[in-house]
Amino acid sequence: MVASTHWLASATGMSVLEGGGNAFDAAVAAGFVLQVAEPHLNGPAGEVPILLWDEYAQKVSVVCGQGVAPAAATIDHVTGLGVKVMPGTGLLAAVVPGAFDGWMLMLERWGTWPVAAVLEAAIYYAEHGVPVLGRISATIETVERLFTDDWPTSAATWLPGGRVPAPGSRLTNPVLADTYRRIVAEAVGSTREAQIAAARDAWYRGFVAEAIAEFSATTAWRDSSGEAHGGLLTADDLASWSATVEEPLTFDYRGHTVCKTGPWGQGPAFLQQLALLAGYDLAAMGHLSADYIHTVIECAKLAFADREAWYGDAADVPMSDLLSDAYNAERRGLVGARASFDLRPGSPGGRAPRLPDYPDPATLAPGLPGTRGLGEPTVGPVASESVVAADGRVRGDTCHIDVVDRHGNMVSATPSGGWLQSSPTIPSLGFGLGTRAQMFWLQDGLPNSLRPGIRPRTTLSPSFALRDGKPWMAFGTPGGDQQDQWSLNFFLALVHGGGLNLQEAIDAPMFHSEHFPGSFYPRRSRPGVMCVENRIAPDVVAELRRRGHEVELRDPWSLGRLSAVSRDGEFLRAAANPRGAQGYAAGR
């Protein structure tokens, strides 16, 4: 089974499985196709966290394909440029591209196919084209003037014939196809593993690294700060980094064990929400009742407040305390009958929380579009805002893919970053750099303060769950700060929804909170605001408003892009999101 956010990726993954490849081969091939099919949501210079189940080893592992800040990326250096908040676009916010090595590490350790085979489909689609989604066209149209006036290399790539590609037209990227062909040509060796090592060398110590380093050092481009900045990435930064394999963080809930990345991602917020909700009888409240939604939302506010105070790529994040029974019993006392409008991080183990000094978005870039366009593309526009700002700012976006094979191996991966609108295209490579460093704070002493060689605390959050100790489900969604709300809603619908299947749980009306500060430039929060699809019962909406929630109704099929695969006894199952009409689940 394969389920993903784009039908071409799902079809590619299925072709690998039908050709004898395993789940890891299929996920890698599909992941590279997503770079071509959804370039506004992820790109070659982005990142990918992966959770996988190895049926042979009977073990869950995390592959961290999240790159780190360059050696020159210090707070003093960046603030010395007059920058108060790391820009959301351009070269300055680039970290080491992690996706390529993340995919290659999984392919080397768990896969069976060679580099040429897993890149074949992506090369084909980059050369011959993919159908232009409406959102690709809308994204390019929004940043058209930025491209033509300030980023001509991007205009050359994404404005074929000098025009915004129309929805349904064919979009090619022959330069990217040539880049991956060269990777394949240089991936030589006497064994499959040696070929993969050569491909990794070509990217991180060869022609790709050289092109990235030269572009960063010799060019400067206008970014969301309103000024032109060059990049900080060097060839040494790329050469000294590699993807890693880690143990997952876990939490047991009602016979299920949920596995997430460490606190360098926001995944533990899912676990913290479960730890809080463990003290309530959600089933008795009734799925999607006012009591149910109020309780889930108020617990989300507490978990994400802790994310703000405690998460980052640091050795002293107190996760055991944050997930402890005693801590969560105390935190539950903060959940009242009415909506909270406060950001309330806790004190795990008696430690005093410290929050960043959040900026006023309206003061960050005078003369630019201000706070316009901050809606994350899978969330949809807020009021009259664009989903992408004219200077390329988004609150990030993402793809997702899940795979389970005939052996029982399973993969949940959330590739993201390196969006076509994030950074100018490097002409010789056909892609731009990512801007994940926008998630760092330019303030000393925080877990997520900018420091050389560390990972930014991202929102990327693939999920895996065991049921009664047996591997059960790989799942996830795009959505920035909403990932660990929408995924949680889906999981809770399966556990407490009265027998919903995977597709029914994905199709159920979705909701989320925008109460806490966003993770993307310029870090806006909307205290007390809850967004719900208007398929939720009107009397439930009225009761939530009576309890003080600022409820915003969204279109009926607009929130979330979930997909999932599962092992259920002798059956494999899969489901994908109907929202946006591009997700697809397939199997045989």
Side-chain angles (χ1 to χ4, degrees):
M1 293 283 180
V2 182
S4 82
T5 51
H6 197 285
W7 69 90
L8 289 178
S10 297
T12 297
M14 276 306 302
S15 73
V16 173
L17 296 178
E18 291 175 335
N22 64 18
F24 313 112
D25 303 317
V28 173
F32 282 109
V33 166
L34 284 172
Q35 296 173 3
V36 181
E38 295 189 304
H40 59 314
L41 309 182
N42 79 139
E47 47 273 328
V48 61
I50 305 168
L51 271 76
L52 62 88
W53 171 262
D54 179 349
E55 180 69 7
Y56 177 79
Q58 293 286 293
K59 179 179 173 58
V60 180
S61 295
V62 174
V63 175
C64 176
Q66 173 58 62
V68 299
T74 65
I75 292 174
D76 286 346
H77 179 88
V78 175
T79 56
L81 300 173
V83 173
K84 297 178 181 178
V85 175
M86 188 69 81
T89 60
L91 297 183
L92 190 60
V95 299
V96 175
F100 188 85
D101 208 54
W103 290 126
M104 289 295 109
L105 176 58
M106 183 168 72
L107 182 68
E108 176 189 23
R109 189 168 300 190
W110 288 279
T112 64
W113 278 29
V115 174
V118 296
L119 282 173
E120 181 180 2
I123 293 171
Y124 176 88
Y125 285 122
E127 179 69 28
H128 296 280
V130 295
V132 175
L133 299 168
R135 282 187 170 173
I136 294 178
S137 180
T139 297
I140 297 174
E141 182 178 15
T142 303
V143 295
E144 179 184 10
R145 185 171 176 181
L146 170 69
F147 284 4
T148 56
D149 291 355
D150 296 295
W151 295 3
T153 60
S154 294
T157 303
W158 303 112
L159 295 171
R163 297 185 299 273
V164 174
S169 63
R170 188 186 298 265
L171 182 64
T172 65
N173 190 340
V175 179
L176 177 61
D178 287 343
T179 295
Y180 279 139
R181 283 197 190 94
R182 184 169 174 183
I183 291 285
V184 170
E186 296 191 14
V188 296
S190 59
T191 64
R192 191 184 71 92
E193 290 74 17
Q195 295 166 15
I196 294 171
R200 296 166 82 177
D201 280 342
W203 188 282
Y204 291 95
R205 285 161 286 277
F207 77 96
V208 175
E210 292 169 359
I212 290 173
E214 181 181 6
F215 193 75
S216 296
T218 61
T219 67
W221 307 82
R222 193 186 79 145
D223 57 38
S224 57
S225 72
E227 303 295 332
H229 295 108
L232 303 177
L233 275 177
T234 68
D236 287 343
D237 291 320
L238 276 82
S240 61
W241 180 84
S242 60
T244 55
V245 178
E246 304 176 0
E247 296 294 317
L249 282 177
T250 65
F251 187 82
D252 295 331
Y253 179 86
R254 305 283 197 267
H256 303 80
T257 301
V258 179
C259 307
K260 303 293 285 188
T261 71
W264 50 266
Q266 78 172 11
F270 189 119
L271 308 183
Q272 283 197 250
Q273 290 173 91
L274 289 181
L276 289 162
L277 292 168
Y280 298 94
D281 191 345
L282 293 181
M285 294 179 187
H287 183 232
L288 297 181
S289 68
D291 283 344
Y292 179 102
I293 295 175
H294 172 81
T295 302
V296 171
I297 287 289
E298 292 304 298
C299 289
K301 292 175 183 178
L302 295 175
F304 280 86
D306 278 343
R307 181 197 73 172
E308 291 297 292
W310 298 111
Y311 289 17
D313 189 7
D316 57 350
V317 179
M319 284 312 310
S320 59
D321 288 321
L322 289 168
L323 294 174
S324 69
D325 291 341
Y327 178 77
N328 286 283
E330 179 183 355
R331 295 283 278 165
R332 260 178 239 119
L334 298 175
V335 177
R338 294 189 59 79
S340 170
F341 279 67
D342 298 322
L343 188 66
R344 299 177 292 180
S347 301
R351 304 168 182 84
R354 181 188 167 196
L355 290 170
D357 297 326
Y358 295 103
D360 177 357
T363 68
L364 291 177
L368 290 180
T371 59
R372 184 169 73 85
L374 302 182
E376 189 268 357
T378 54
V379 179
V382 177
S384 61
E385 294 176 355
S386 302
V387 296
V388 178
D391 63 358
R393 283 176 294 135
V394 296
R395 283 199 314 192
D397 204 5
T398 309
C399 308
H400 188 78
I401 183 166
D402 303 295
V403 186
V404 56
D405 66 20
R406 64 195 181 280
H407 309 294
N409 300 305
M410 302 176 77
V411 176
S412 173
T414 309
S416 184
W419 312 293
L420 68 87
Q421 68 274 16
S422 67
S423 192
T425 298
I426 302 172
S428 62
L429 298 178
F431 60 83
L433 297 174
T435 54
R436 196 59 65 173
Q438 68 182 284
M439 296 177 153
F440 284 121
W441 289 105
L442 301 181
Q443 302 166 33
D444 285 316
L446 300 168
N448 195 34
S449 296
L450 176 64
R451 301 186 299 282
I454 72 162
R455 297 165 288 190
R457 194 279 298 154
T458 75
T459 56
L460 306 179
S461 196
S463 303
F464 188 83
L466 298 91
R467 185 166 62 185
D468 299 324
K470 298 178 180 179
W472 174 43
M473 184 169 65
F475 62 106
T477 180
D481 294 295
Q482 282 70 45
Q483 286 182 40
D484 285 298
Q485 298 187 74
W486 294 337
S487 291
L488 178 77
N489 292 346
F490 164 72
F491 175 81
L492 293 176
L494 291 172
V495 176
H496 298 299
L500 299 181
N501 63 35
L502 293 186
Q503 193 62 55
E504 291 167 332
I506 286 175
D507 291 352
M510 194 60 69
F511 61 92
H512 69 263
S513 172
E514 296 192 356
H515 171 84
F516 45 86
S519 297
F520 295 87
Y521 180 100
R523 308 299 186 94
R524 185 183 65 172
S525 61
R526 308 179 72 212
V529 171
M530 174 200 307
C531 300
V532 303
E533 289 184 343
N534 63 13
R535 295 183 292 139
I536 289 178
D539 61 322
V540 171
V541 172
E543 174 60 18
L544 291 168
R545 285 173 171 158
R546 190 193 67 80
R547 297 185 188 198
H549 296 280
E550 298 282 346
V551 180
E552 291 187 354
L553 296 179
R554 298 295 177 86
D555 290 341
W557 294 89
S558 61
L559 302 183
R561 290 176 64 211
L562 281 147
S563 63
V565 299
S566 72
R567 293 170 54 180
D568 186 9
E570 296 180 354
F571 291 93
L572 305 181
R573 305 184 191 279
N577 189 57
R579 299 163 177 88
Q582 66 191 65
Y584 202 81
R588 60 169 292 180

